[in-house]
Amino acid sequence: MGFQDVMKDIEGYQDIQRDIEILKKYGIDYSSQRGSVEHSINLFHPKKIRLGVSEIQQETGTTRTLRLVPKDGYLPPFQAGQYINVFVDVAGIRTSRPYSISSSPGQTAYYDITVRRVSDGFVSEYLLDEIRVGDELESSGPAGTFNYNPLFHGDDLVFLAGGSGITPFMSMIREVTDRNLNRRIHLIYGCDSPDDVIFAEELARRAENHPNFSWDLVISTPPQGYQGLTGFITAGLMKQVLGDLAGRMFYLCGPEAMYAFCDKELSGLGIPKRKIRIEMYGSPRDVTRQPGWPSGVKAEAVFNVAVKGKKIIEARACEPLMISLERAGLAIPALCRSGECSLCRTRLLTGKVYQPAGVKLRKSDRRFGYIHACMAYPLEDLEIMI
Amino acid sequence: MPDYDVVVIGAGNGGLTSALTLAKAGRKVLLLERHNVPGGCATSFVRGRFEFEVALHQLSGMGSPENPGPLRAILGEMGVLDKLEFVEMENLYRVVVPGQFDITLKCERNLITRELQDRFPKEKEGIVKFFDLVYDCSMQMIQGLFFHDPEISKEKYPLYFKYALKNTQDILDGFFDDPLLKAVLSIYWSYLGVPPSSLPFGEFAIMLFAYIEFKPYHLKGGSQALSNALLDEYLRGGGEVRFNCAAKRIIVADSRVKGVITEDGDTISTDYVVSNASTLLTYIELIGREHIPAGQMEQFKSSTIGPAAFTVYAGLDCEPGEVGIQETTNFISTTTDMDGAFGKWKTLEQQGVSLLTCYDVSDPDFSPPGTCQAAIVALQYAEPWYSVPPQQYYDTKYRYADGLLNLAERVFPGFRGHIEEVEASTPLTHLRYLGHPGGAIYGFDQYAKDSTLFLSPRSAIKGLYFAGAWVGSGGFQPTLTSGRTSGRAILKSMRKQQ
Ligand SMILES: Cc1cc2nc3c(=O)[nH]c(=O)nc-3n(C[C@H](O)[C@H](O)[C@H](O)COP(=O)(O)OP(=O)(O)OC[C@H]3O[C@@H](n4cnc5c(N)ncnc54)[C@H](O)[C@@H]3O)c2cc1C
Ligand code: FES
């Protein structure tokens, strides 16, 4: 007797065998479910979304909002504060940049992104100068973790925004006020000059109409005779405009100089870490000034990076590896471009890179030699595997 | 010459050990993974200063170096033992019925028996007899099945042949009256995904036996460290891998594997494919209707897609003790009606049984100093989530997570006030990251009829093999084992061809 036959002696075997025969006739026909898994994924996280520009709104001298509508009729839901990564071909280079969605998640017809000109910016210039109504763009699905989380954020929120860092907050403010949600928001918005204030009118209007939203503007380089708050968002200023700080959740989004500064001010005020949310907002402008950058490596230094099985490329020390790869026509998967989502996880075979402190590497990835190429800067010649 | 000897689709546990077994034997192997990290379920993600473990709660079958279990042997063979640091858990588990009952079982048969007898004095005798049966039945299963006794028979292994397919509930009812005791003893049913009333006793017994005898384990760096170590060893052995690269088609001609087409449109020729993707999608999506072997779709008809999970990952800004977490493994049960609890897996109602695991209790280095993390998990089917409109998805998810956090708060007062990071995942999250129907983490439902006693994992397509939860049981130990099995089967077939 073979093994399978012996097994038939197990008590109950025959009954189960009978059940199976019946089920084979009347059970589930799975052949009709072709495509259903992919469909479920695409409802929330399509790999790519095709978008058309339906409207362009001038916000300030340097800022425009692009209204993006789906080419295929459907946009996945997002949480206010999330971003999309916009893919572009600029000057023959395939690259991408994440932009927070500034419209409300209640708006299912479009995503707004609000783009500010960055001095010597590559993609921002392209989006502002080249893109016209009717053009097509491609993006990732919505992503990111800088969103309101009702599980522990409470209902008393303080937003600290700097410059274009207002965009994720705008989505949150719009959502809370449009839906009349039971949350209180106070926004402290720092800008260089009164001309730079994005969404000024709308913020004023919403503050007037909704008792649960209020804001203060802080101008760092005020023109002569400017009436209003000036300087930086300091501990003193926060205490002055916010009063009692206990129990409030602080959110921070803006240029990197603001993080270091506000973070210090907040801990000075005794705000615990669990009450501070920070949006990683791209790679640092000047990585050589980050703590821990080795003094021996100059920003202009150029290294050879051997991409296993592909080619050897040149990479500048002051540029994230991801960009050097893109310049060489070797675009790798990208999403946050801020070191936190791990989509660009790349194996470093030899050589040393610098990764700023905020990079969210898994412990074992670090141990087994992986880097996040969007926030890894070469310090010598490298060999990598993509 | 084909481009590769073998293409392995999917870098989950099964895919990894399969690929590694083949690469170690000198075969030219290509591993394709649709996601950007290896591991499938066996992975982690980072939020703030926390790296959250996705799947591994209690690793079974490890055993100590002195008393090695089957999994330790396999990982040794894979060459990854010295790259990893395993942590033995002190206790088996704690079961809390909030406000009513609380018990912690040690990891030793005698101590468990004594503790249970103290708490359930009326059931004293039954407790001894129950463990006798669990142990005797398991021993017969090990000798007869795992060691492949050629003389296996009903006469030689009477307990196994009598009880293996009985349902666990009947056995419990035969020994005990107290529903609480039955719930405490059978709580591992939630690891197997089938309630005691339909769980084959043989499977339940061997699981309980193995956790007690080989102890539950975790490892430093979590399951991602294991996945990374397996992949590292594979690459060292000359294996190749492509991430962010799903297999789109398996090319079949004359009922033989000919190659694989990737999502980037690359065509790769090979005579052997191991699929760690679900068997179902491997046939209906990758192979395509015209090549599905006769009878295959009929075989699927008798199976149902198994559960996924709803998990809340919480990072706290305090040590576990500060909120009263003393155990790694805490089952929280608001009911003793396990069928009722299982029924809720198909709804969005609050669950009857959930599990709170705090890795930092066994491994103080798991989270940054002064912090800890807890995963609160409740198994759940994807069905109720399919009918949530996308626009209400996030609200629904938070509402559900809120219920689990409130439960945690009841058992561990102060828990919520210490949350620094929290993330929730639904069955749809697993569906997205694994690409499996229903986000199923154990493959098909594992009723008696779904065991390998009745279903053969072999394919009628020559050169097509499977590894992972969809051909056998889910869980780390079974899936890691299954990859080695399919790898070996291919090596054997290759030897025959030569
Ligand atoms: C929350 C949770 C808790 C759990 N707790 C435990 C526990 O405590 N103990 C335990 O033992 N088990 C536990 N498990 C179960 C265990 O993790 C799984 O059963 C096991 O990891 C499954 O392994 P697998 O080999 O089947 O592969 P999977 O993990 O299912 O991976 C399959 C892989 O294939 C890839 N893939 C799919 N389709 C394609 C394609 N077309 N092309 C390329 N790649 C593809 C996927 O991306 C994935 O990486 C838990 C699981 C979860 C989610
Ligand atoms: S793109 Fe997100 S970590 Fe690099």
Side-chain angles (χ1 to χ4, degrees):
Chain A
M1 241 187 344
F3 176 78
Q4 280 299 334
D5 293 321
V6 178
M7 287 309 170
K8 291 183 182 150
D9 285 346
I10 302 178
E11 272 184 39
Y13 189 100
Q14 312 293 345
D15 300 335
I16 293 170
Q17 192 75 61
R18 250 195 315 278
D19 288 352
I20 293 176
E21 289 314 314
I22 295 171
L23 282 169
K24 276 188 179 169
K25 286 206 193 93
Y26 304 108
I28 304 162
D29 179 9
Y30 288 102
S31 49
S32 62
Q33 297 193 6
R34 214 176 157 203
S36 64
V37 166
E38 200 178 338
H39 173 77
S40 305
I41 294 175
N42 287 341
L43 282 179
F44 297 94
H45 301 287
K47 264 200 162 164
K48 289 283 156 66
I49 308 177
R50 293 198 309 133
L51 298 162
V53 179
S54 74
E55 219 179 292
I56 298 179
Q57 166 85 34
Q58 189 80 36
E59 303 286 359
T60 69
T62 54
T63 309
R64 284 178 178 169
T65 292
L66 309 186
R67 179 151 295 175
L68 307 173
V69 294
K71 282 275 174 193
D72 302 310
Y74 175 80
L75 287 177
F78 68 96
Q79 303 183 76
Q82 289 190 306
Y83 62 83
I84 50 174
N85 192 26
V86 178
F87 293 88
V88 290
D89 285 288
V90 185
I93 296 172
R94 173 90 173 151
T95 181
S96 62
R97 292 294 181 275
Y99 286 98
S100 302
I101 303 173
S102 55
S103 50
S104 163
Q107 251 309 341
T108 55
Y110 55 78
Y111 298 151
D112 280 349
I113 58 169
T114 301
V115 184
R116 181 177 183 173
R117 192 176 299 275
V118 180
S119 52
D120 60 76
F122 187 58
V123 177
S124 66
E125 284 192 0
Y126 171 82
L127 290 175
L128 292 171
D129 301 338
E130 307 290 328
I131 291 293
R132 303 270 177 274
V133 168
D135 285 354
E136 195 174 315
L137 288 169
E138 199 178 56
S139 81
S140 70
T145 54
F146 189 68
N147 54 270
Y148 176 73
N149 184 330
L151 299 174
F152 72 114
H153 287 192
D155 50 17
D156 201 347
L157 320 178
V158 178
F159 294 168
L160 308 179
S164 66
I166 187 70
T167 51
F169 293 131
M170 202 56 209
S171 178
M172 299 189 206
I173 292 164
R174 283 168 166 160
E175 181 186 35
V176 166
T177 49
D178 284 351
R179 288 178 62 192
N180 207 15
L181 297 176
N182 199 9
R183 272 172 234 162
R184 219 174 88 198
I185 295 174
H186 188 89
L187 164 73
I188 305 180
Y189 185 11
C191 288
D192 283 346
S193 81
D195 297 338
D196 285 340
V197 185
I198 312 172
F199 304 124
E201 266 169 46
E202 186 176 337
L203 288 167
R205 183 166 47 79
R206 288 191 186 256
E208 198 169 315
N209 294 338
H210 298 273
N212 56 343
F213 170 62
S214 51
W215 71 308
D216 282 294
L217 187 61
V218 188
I219 299 296
S220 58
T221 42
Q224 276 227 317
Y226 178 77
Q227 306 275 311
L229 298 170
T230 57
F232 292 120
I233 304 177
T234 59
L237 184 136
M238 281 190 260
K239 269 196 118 138
Q240 179 197 333
V241 305
L242 296 171
D244 189 8
L245 303 176
R248 299 173 100 166
M249 185 64 89
F250 289 80
Y251 299 69
L252 210 65
C253 183
E256 68 189 88
M258 182 183 153
Y259 291 126
F261 184 79
C262 288
D263 206 23
K264 217 166 62 229
E265 299 294 292
L266 285 171
S267 43
L269 287 168
I271 311 292
K273 242 184 153 72
R274 67 166 184 276
K275 290 284 180 193
I276 305 171
R277 315 295 304 166
I278 294 177
E279 174 69 319
M280 300 288 291
Y281 210 51
S283 48
R285 304 265 323 144
D286 181 358
V287 70
T288 63
R289 288 168 57 181
Q290 294 283 312
W293 180 269
S295 55
V297 183
K298 294 268 168 306
E300 317 75 62
V302 176
F303 300 108
N304 287 328
V305 177
V307 186
K308 198 177 169 199
K310 306 231 171 341
K311 56 182 173 183
I312 297 176
I313 66 163
E314 292 195 331
R316 305 217 306 250
C318 61
E319 243 178 16
L321 209 48
M322 174 178 270
I323 293 189
S324 305
L325 286 164
E326 286 170 346
R327 281 191 205 286
L330 293 174
I332 61 172
L335 186 58
C336 70
R337 300 184 77 106
S338 307
E340 67 168 21
C341 77
S342 105
L343 194 69
C344 63
R345 180 181 180 273
T346 301
R347 193 168 169 101
L348 179 64
L349 299 169
T350 59
K352 259 198 356 222
V353 298
Y354 173 83
Q355 298 187 85
V359 174
K360 294 189 174 142
L361 270 179
R362 298 172 177 94
K363 272 193 221 164
S364 58
D365 275 353
R366 201 180 289 278
R367 221 184 93 210
F368 286 100
Y370 291 87
I371 55 175
H372 290 179
C374 67
M375 283 278 259
Y377 299 78
L379 296 175
E380 56 191 33
D381 288 349
L382 310 174
E383 195 187 351
I384 63 171
M385 191 178 94
I386 59 171
Chain B
M1 276 287 280
D3 299 331
Y4 289 90
D5 293 333
V6 188
V7 174
V8 178
I9 299 173
N13 284 334
L16 283 169
T17 51
S18 188
L20 183 47
T21 302
L22 291 157
K24 273 195 181 295
R27 302 298 157 176
K28 192 174 176 208
V29 187
L30 175 65
L31 177 57
L32 299 175
E33 170 54 53
R34 56 194 282 287
H35 193 30
N36 67 325
V37 272
C41 296
T43 192
S44 66
F45 62 93
V46 180
R47 291 284 183 276
R49 32 178 191 160
F50 297 91
E51 179 175 342
F52 289 115
E53 165 68 49
V54 168
L56 182 58
H57 290 261
Q58 294 192 298
L59 194 58
S60 65
M62 260 320 271
S64 62
E66 300 73 40
N67 176 31
L71 184 60
R72 188 176 285 273
I74 290 178
L75 296 179
E77 203 181 291
M78 297 290 144
V80 296
L81 277 184
D82 55 349
K83 298 183 186 206
L84 298 167
E85 207 178 318
F86 291 90
V87 182
E88 185 182 315
M89 293 180 187
E90 193 193 337
N91 293 329
L92 194 62
Y93 54 71
R94 170 185 181 200
V95 179
V96 194
V97 184
Q100 280 184 44
F101 185 79
D102 193 343
I103 192 170
T104 299
L105 299 185
K106 297 259 182 284
C107 260
E108 229 176 284
R109 181 179 172 181
N110 288 337
L111 298 178
I112 296 174
T113 316
R114 210 176 310 147
E115 175 72 16
L116 288 171
Q117 288 181 329
D118 280 354
R119 304 292 292 273
F120 300 94
K122 284 190 192 142
E123 311 265 17
K124 254 187 161 146
E125 244 172 85
I127 292 169
V128 174
K129 287 189 183 148
F130 176 78
F131 276 98
D132 282 345
L133 183 63
V134 166
Y135 268 65
D136 294 345
C137 196
S138 298
M139 290 314 291
Q140 296 194 358
M141 193 167 175
I142 290 169
Q143 280 158 18
L145 288 183
F146 296 155
F147 291 135
H148 301 287
D149 181 352
E151 287 168 14
I152 186 170
S153 74
K154 193 174 170 172
E155 291 69 34
K156 195 163 175 187
Y157 302 108
L159 289 176
Y160 176 74
F161 277 78
K162 185 170 164 67
Y163 291 108
L165 291 175
K166 292 266 175 330
N167 80 62
T168 305
Q169 191 64 49
D170 281 352
I171 309 279
L172 290 164
D173 291 344
F175 285 110
F176 309 116
D177 290 324
D178 195 327
L180 202 49
L181 174 58
K182 295 184 220 178
V184 168
L185 273 172
S186 65
I187 204 80
Y188 271 153
W189 70 268
S190 53
Y191 278 10
L192 291 163
V194 176
S197 64
S198 12
L199 176 62
F201 181 71
E203 272 176 54
F204 172 74
I206 192 83
M207 176 176 199
L208 185 59
F209 169 86
Y211 269 125
I212 297 173
E213 286 307 300
F214 296 122
K215 319 291 176 203
Y217 274 79
H218 197 69
L219 71 161
K220 300 237 172 196
S223 61
Q224 186 69 65
L226 172 61
S227 310
N228 273 342
L230 289 167
L231 187 85
D232 192 61
E233 193 60 17
Y234 166 73
L235 293 174
R236 276 170 205 281
E240 292 174 45
V241 63
R242 291 189 203 168
F243 289 110
N244 301 297
C245 186
K248 272 276 155 230
R249 296 289 289 183
I250 297 174
I251 308 166
V252 173
D254 306 326
S255 297
R256 278 182 172 280
V257 165
K258 290 288 170 198
V260 171
I261 303 178
T262 68
E263 70 175 304
D264 308 328
D266 271 2
T267 302
I268 298 156
S269 62
T270 184
D271 293 337
Y272 290 94
V273 163
V274 179
S275 178
N276 188 206
S278 67
T279 44
L280 196 54
L281 294 202
T282 302
Y283 283 112
I284 66 176
E285 307 280 0
L286 300 184
I287 286 175
R289 197 178 293 253
E290 59 285 13
H291 295 292
I292 299 181
Q296 183 59 57
M297 293 315 289
E298 279 67 52
Q299 181 174 325
F300 282 139
K301 274 189 167 182
S302 69
S303 298
T304 43
I305 308 290
F310 190 100
T311 312
V312 180
Y313 305 93
L316 309 189
D317 69 348
C318 66
E319 304 277 352
E322 202 165 318
V323 289
I325 303 178
Q326 310 289 353
E327 299 303 326
T328 308
T329 307
N330 307 268
F331 286 100
I332 306 172
S333 188
T334 52
T335 175
T336 53
D337 170 13
M338 296 302 143
D339 284 316
F342 176 69
K344 292 204 172 163
W345 289 10
K346 298 190 171 161
T347 71
L348 292 177
E349 289 165 39
Q350 272 312 311
Q351 301 286 345
V353 178
S354 28
L355 165 65
L356 184 148
T357 299
C358 178
Y359 308 97
D360 301 87
V361 173
S362 320
D363 174 10
D365 303 335
F366 202 77
S367 308
T371 71
C372 67
Q373 64 168 277
I376 314 167
V377 58
L379 293 205
Q380 196 183 40
Y381 286 90
E383 269 75 33
W385 291 95
Y386 289 142
S387 39
V388 175
Q391 286 298 327
Q392 286 165 29
Y393 174 72
Y394 293 108
D395 284 347
T396 311
K397 168 166 130 167
Y398 286 128
R399 212 173 314 124
Y400 201 79
D402 198 51
L404 283 173
L405 285 171
N406 285 338
L407 196 62
E409 181 72 27
R410 271 174 79 186
V411 181
F412 305 106
F415 187 95
R416 292 200 74 152
H418 281 286
I419 294 177
E420 180 177 311
E421 290 292 340
V422 82
E423 188 65 83
S425 69
T426 73
L428 297 184
T429 315
H430 293 296
L431 184 144
R432 169 194 182 191
Y433 285 113
L434 301 173
H436 295 333
I441 60 176
Y442 303 147
F444 287 116
D445 277 320
Q446 287 297 307
Y447 294 107
K449 66 178 171 55
D450 300 285
S451 85
T452 41
L453 284 177
F454 301 94
L455 293 180
S456 161
R458 250 181 257 146
S459 173
I461 294 177
K462 288 209 180 59
L464 178 62
Y465 292 75
F466 291 98
W470 294 85
V471 280
S473 321
F476 276 73
Q477 187 191 349
T479 52
L480 290 163
T481 311
S482 82
R484 184 185 63 156
T485 308
S486 61
R488 285 178 167 184
I490 289 179
L491 292 174
K492 199 167 149 194
S493 154
M494 285 174 167
R495 278 194 298 270
K496 268 200 218 148
Q497 306 286 315
Q498 282 162 4

